[in-house]
Amino acid sequence: MKLLLRTLVQPYYARNAGFLGVIVYLAFGFMRPMDHHALIAAIMTSPFMLAITTGLWALYTLRATIFVRQLLNEPPQRFLFSARLLSVQARWTGWLLVAIMLLIPVEAYAGWMVQRGVFHQTWAANWVVIGVVITLIVSSAGSIDHRIRHPYPMQTIRLPRPNWVIPYQLFYPGFLLRHRPVALVLTKAASLGILVGVCRLYPTDEYDERLLLIGLMLSLVAHAPICRTFFEFETTWLRVLPNLPLSRSSRFSRYALTYGLLWLPELPVMLQNKPQTVDVVYLLLLWLTGWGWLMLFHTRLYRLNWNADRWQQQLLFGFITGLLLIMFGFPAGAWLLLGWLGAGWFWVRNSH
């Protein structure tokens, strides 16, 4: 059991520290305990809100399970495929333990909801919450066991391959659509949902523009795994790229176009949900700022001593530092310059 926790559960929390930090901040950074009690009471008495909450839990479970299934294909963890030689009872005991540890955030909040449900005597909702949590745990464990028993599944659905030449800027977006569609959908859903929610906090009253900066920062943290996957995609499939006769500026511009394409959906969403007291120019400035910071995330990955776990820790520390700077009035224009200049400086220093 200890082996499974060290090889599957610990890497999940280490590599997703930024994502989990955003969840904790959204859950407890803006709301007081009494606000949570009121929200839980509304969820337990409204079937619609209960369905939305359990749907979010299902998305989190899907993300965690897909991470473990992909982790099993990495060379250091492939020895776990020999677990299919164990008995069904032994395998399922281990996978259930892994699923329970992966879903600790869901289980903790569900336990809080059940405790408040007992206080409000919403017995039917309590049983629904308990049933959903058990279903998610069993489904996650079953999905992991299925991957162990079928380590190399046959691809039954083949997408059509285009016959025209694909520009380099579309290599990585195409890879995401074909091989990481769930991760891409979850990332964009979290990013767009955060931006829409922040823009609609005070749609007509005098708006504090620092809220938009905080929402932008949360959206960027949600995109951090996409930046890391881009780096891993290149180092795995495009190792010849640094040896091609391309200048540093040409490669930098290609990365910029790729990230501009990935970041493009945020622009119309921000413009569509613009608060009345916020200028359009300011929203365009924020979008350019986010574009630059995605480039900064990417260029920092080219350090020779890059460590995945340390990068996640630095991302979480940078997120907390950025919140403090925003609260003290650090302007959006300074964030724009810091993102693009930092991306250029790290690219010149680390690329080779």
Side-chain angles (χ1 to χ4, degrees):
M1 299 303 174
K2 185 177 180 180
L3 177 65
L4 293 177
L5 296 180
R6 292 181 64 88
T7 56
L8 298 179
V9 178
Q10 184 176 343
Y12 171 75
Y13 285 104
R15 297 187 188 182
N16 293 275
F19 169 73
L20 296 173
V22 170
I23 292 179
V24 172
Y25 182 78
L26 288 176
F28 301 100
F30 293 104
M31 300 177 64
R32 299 168 297 177
M34 61 184 67
D35 298 328
H36 274 288
H37 292 166
L39 176 62
I40 291 175
I43 293 174
M44 301 298 279
T45 55
S46 172
F48 177 72
M49 294 186 64
L50 184 60
I52 293 178
T53 302
T54 55
L56 294 176
W57 292 350
L59 290 177
Y60 174 85
T61 305
L62 181 63
R63 178 189 177 94
T65 306
I66 289 177
F67 176 88
V68 172
R69 287 168 62 94
Q70 294 173 352
L71 191 64
L72 289 171
N73 289 328
E74 296 183 3
Q77 278 78 25
R78 287 181 181 174
F79 73 94
L80 291 174
F81 285 133
S82 59
R84 62 181 181 271
L85 302 177
L86 300 175
S87 64
V88 176
Q89 181 180 0
R91 288 203 317 268
W92 271 85
T93 301
W95 306 143
L96 287 174
L97 175 62
V98 171
I100 290 173
M101 297 303 295
L102 291 175
L103 301 185
I104 284 179
V106 173
E107 295 158 1
Y109 201 78
W112 192 6
M113 290 178 59
V114 170
Q115 186 269 331
R116 299 303 302 176
V118 171
F119 177 79
H120 293 288
Q121 297 184 356
T122 54
W123 308 114
N126 281 2
W127 285 112
V128 170
V129 170
I130 295 173
V132 167
V133 172
I134 294 176
T135 302
L136 293 177
I137 293 174
V138 174
S139 300
S140 179
S143 179
I144 298 173
D145 185 69
H146 181 270
R147 173 50 60 92
I148 292 295
R149 291 185 291 105
H150 303 85
Y152 306 105
M154 297 297 294
Q155 184 178 2
T156 57
I157 300 178
R158 295 184 179 272
L159 297 178
R161 295 181 178 272
N163 295 323
W164 59 84
V165 178
I166 300 177
Y168 173 76
Q169 292 79 4
L170 298 180
F171 280 9
Y172 182 58
F175 170 80
L176 289 177
L177 290 173
R178 295 180 65 89
H179 301 282
R180 300 288 190 273
V182 176
L184 179 62
V185 170
L186 292 179
T187 298
K188 302 308 290 187
S191 173
L192 297 176
I194 289 171
L195 292 177
V196 171
V198 170
C199 289
R200 293 189 176 184
L201 283 176
Y202 306 101
T204 57
D205 300 334
E206 185 177 354
Y207 196 90
D208 189 350
E209 295 178 346
R210 292 180 298 178
L211 293 175
L212 289 174
L213 275 174
I214 294 176
L216 177 68
M217 183 177 298
L218 294 172
S219 178
L220 290 173
V221 173
H223 278 82
I226 296 293
C227 301
R228 174 180 170 174
T229 307
F230 195 173
F231 174 76
E232 294 174 347
F233 166 73
E234 280 197 335
T235 55
T236 302
W237 303 106
L238 298 176
R239 294 182 179 180
V240 71
L241 186 61
N243 299 322
L244 295 178
L246 296 173
S247 63
R248 288 186 176 184
S249 60
S250 176
R251 290 179 59 193
F252 186 85
S253 62
R254 292 167 186 261
Y255 290 132
L257 290 175
T258 300
Y259 278 108
L261 179 63
L262 293 173
W263 185 242
L264 185 61
E266 275 69 14
L267 180 59
V269 169
M270 294 171 64
L271 295 177
Q272 177 67 27
N273 298 276
K274 181 185 76 69
Q276 295 183 3
T277 58
V278 177
D279 193 4
V280 175
V281 177
Y282 185 78
L283 292 180
L284 294 176
L285 179 68
L286 288 182
W287 186 80
L288 293 174
T289 302
W291 188 7
W293 275 84
L294 288 179
M295 290 294 297
L296 177 60
F297 288 168
H298 183 84
T299 53
R300 277 186 58 84
L301 296 172
Y302 286 91
R303 293 176 299 169
L304 294 177
N305 59 345
W306 179 76
N307 181 274
D309 298 337
R310 186 180 304 172
W311 183 71
Q312 289 288 347
Q313 295 171 2
Q314 293 174 352
L315 181 66
L316 182 59
F317 176 77
F319 172 74
I320 297 174
T321 304
L323 287 178
L324 295 176
L325 291 176
I326 290 174
M327 297 308 296
F328 282 101
F330 200 69
W335 287 109
L336 174 65
L337 293 177
L338 187 61
W340 282 104
L341 294 179
W345 186 78
F346 279 113
W347 176 249
V348 172
R349 181 180 178 182
N350 298 327
S351 64
H352 53 83

